[in-house]
Amino acid sequence: GAVVSQHPSRVICKSGTSVKIECRSLDFQATTMFWYRQFPKKSLMLMATSNEGSKATYEQGVEKDKFLINHASLTLSTLTVTSAHPEDSSFYICSAGLAGGLNEQFFGPGTRLTVL
Amino acid sequence: AQSVTQPDIHITVSEGASLELRCNYSYGATPYLFWYVQSPGQGLQLLLKYFSGDTLVQGIKGFEAEFKRSQSSFNLRKPSVHWSDAAEYFCAVGAQAAGNKLTFGGGTRVLVKP
């Protein structure tokens, strides 16, 4: 149980376009989802916390107009990278927490974004 | 604010030898502690977690970790390493008071020699 999927697993796009990444909890309801960014050979950096039905809370230094997060249901959160540039190329990972759960997060497999 | 330090960036160990990965945290209250493993290009898999109770925690794949409050540490151990244990390992700390957000250490890359 507690499986999280991400789609797509890899995406290549041209500079200036927007890319949407989906994060789904497959077998549980997730009131909270988290979005992380990971640079090569680096640790995970939390970008934002997404709560179902409300606006996402962004970490300091993360541009909310660039990284749009929507958490429309208890099983789906999306991250849209708007007007992507090469510096946005990264590995994006989402995680989901169980409703009423004790802080444990279940991670998706990640999405590799390459902006040309 | 919470923080996590993994002092070792790389560790090389021979197959069959024991492994210990260090993790030190900083947090004012009782933290929740986690160890995750990541294979190249993959997401994170939870190895084990500590919320409360017995300070020696058993996890999957033969791993265990010990919470030592006096040392603010949560070191990960495995008695006998297999080649498939080569991966990146992350220690993380979370707390309900912090909105259940996780803070990750910098990671330790484990290489296994035949």
Side-chain angles (χ1 to χ4, degrees):
Chain A
V3 177
V4 176
S5 70
Q6 277 184 247
H7 178 80
S9 57
R10 288 179 175 272
V11 57
I12 300 173
C13 69
K14 292 182 179 179
S15 188
T17 61
S18 294
V19 174
K20 180 185 283 189
I21 302 170
E22 292 185 348
C23 176
R24 293 182 185 272
S25 56
L26 297 184
D27 51 2
F28 67 101
Q29 293 186 329
T31 51
T32 305
M33 288 184 171
F34 302 86
W35 287 95
Y36 296 85
R37 183 173 180 175
Q38 186 179 30
F39 291 101
K41 301 185 189 292
K42 296 293 185 184
S43 188
L44 281 75
M45 181 193 78
L46 179 65
M47 299 174 66
T49 303
S50 165
N51 290 298
E52 186 264 339
S54 62
K55 290 184 179 179
T57 302
Y58 290 81
E59 295 300 301
Q60 193 170 11
V62 177
E63 299 175 62
K64 61 176 124 181
D65 294 331
K66 178 151 191 73
F67 299 99
L68 300 179
I69 291 172
N70 183 273
H71 193 160
S73 76
L74 285 172
T75 59
L76 173 64
S77 176
T78 60
L79 168 68
T80 301
V81 183
T82 62
S83 186
H85 288 94
E87 58 266 29
D88 298 324
S89 298
S90 195
F91 194 54
Y92 292 89
I93 303 177
C94 74
S95 70
L98 286 166
L102 253 191
N103 205 97
E104 183 172 351
Q105 295 179 25
F106 301 91
F107 285 81
T111 296
R112 171 76 58 197
L113 170 64
T114 302
V115 184
L116 303 176
Chain B
Q2 52 205 50
S3 66
V4 181
T5 302
Q6 293 179 247
D8 304 304
I9 297 174
H10 293 102
I11 284 183
T12 299
V13 61
S14 296
E15 192 168 14
S18 64
L19 173 69
E20 181 167 15
L21 303 182
R22 295 184 290 165
C23 172
N24 293 99
Y25 69 89
S26 173
Y27 185 63
T30 300
Y32 301 141
L33 296 159
F34 306 83
W35 274 100
Y36 289 91
V37 61
Q38 184 182 35
S39 297
Q42 303 295 314
L44 275 67
Q45 181 182 23
L46 179 68
L47 288 175
L48 47 79
K49 61 193 176 192
Y50 172 78
F51 287 159
S52 65
D54 193 345
T55 56
L56 185 61
V57 181
Q58 301 298 320
I60 62 170
K61 303 185 178 187
F63 285 93
E64 66 176 28
E66 187 170 11
F67 171 56
K68 292 186 177 180
R69 184 187 301 275
S70 61
Q71 298 177 20
S72 297
S73 69
F74 189 57
N75 294 347
L76 181 71
R77 297 191 292 259
K78 184 168 184 176
S80 178
V81 168
H82 187 261
W83 64 266
S84 60
D85 293 322
E88 186 89 21
Y89 291 79
F90 293 98
C91 181
V93 62
Q96 284 188 318
N100 288 342
K101 292 192 287 189
L102 292 181
T103 299
F104 284 84
T108 299
R109 180 165 297 277
V110 173
L111 304 174
V112 180
K113 294 190 300 185

